[in-house]
C-alpha cells in the first residue's frame, strides 16, 4: 500500500519509526501538515480509495 499511496503523492509512516526502543504499538501515522486546507478533503478521498482497493 505505501507504494500505491506514494504514486498518488500521499505518504504514511509506520508508528515504529517514532520509537527509540522496541515499538509497543503497531499502526500508521497519517499527517496533513503539508496540505492546504482546501486540498485536505481530496487527499482523504485518495487515501480511502487506496486503502479500499488494497483491502479488496
Amino acid at each position: 500500500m505505501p507504494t500505491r499511496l506514494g504514486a498518488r503523492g500521499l505518504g504514511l509512516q509506520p508508528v515504529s519509526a517514532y520509537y527509540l526502543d522496541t515499538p509497543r504499538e503497531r499502526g500508521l501515522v497519517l499527517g496533513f501538515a503539508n496540505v492546504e486546507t482546501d486540498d485536505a478533503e481530496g487527499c482523504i478521498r485518495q487515501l480511502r480509495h487506496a486503502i479500499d482497493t488494497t483491502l479488496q
Side-chain angles (χ1 to χ4, degrees), residues 2-45:
T3 303
R4 291 179 186 182
L5 294 175
R8 290 181 164 87
L10 302 172
L12 60 106
Q13 187 76 5
V15 169
S16 60
Y18 295 91
Y19 281 91
L20 293 176
D21 294 320
T22 304
R24 295 174 294 186
E25 302 289 335
R26 293 178 13 172
L28 301 172
V29 176
L30 306 174
F32 293 91
N34 197 27
V35 175
E36 295 292 328
T37 304
D38 294 340
D39 297 332
E41 188 173 337
C43 290
I44 292 168
R45 277 196 205 107

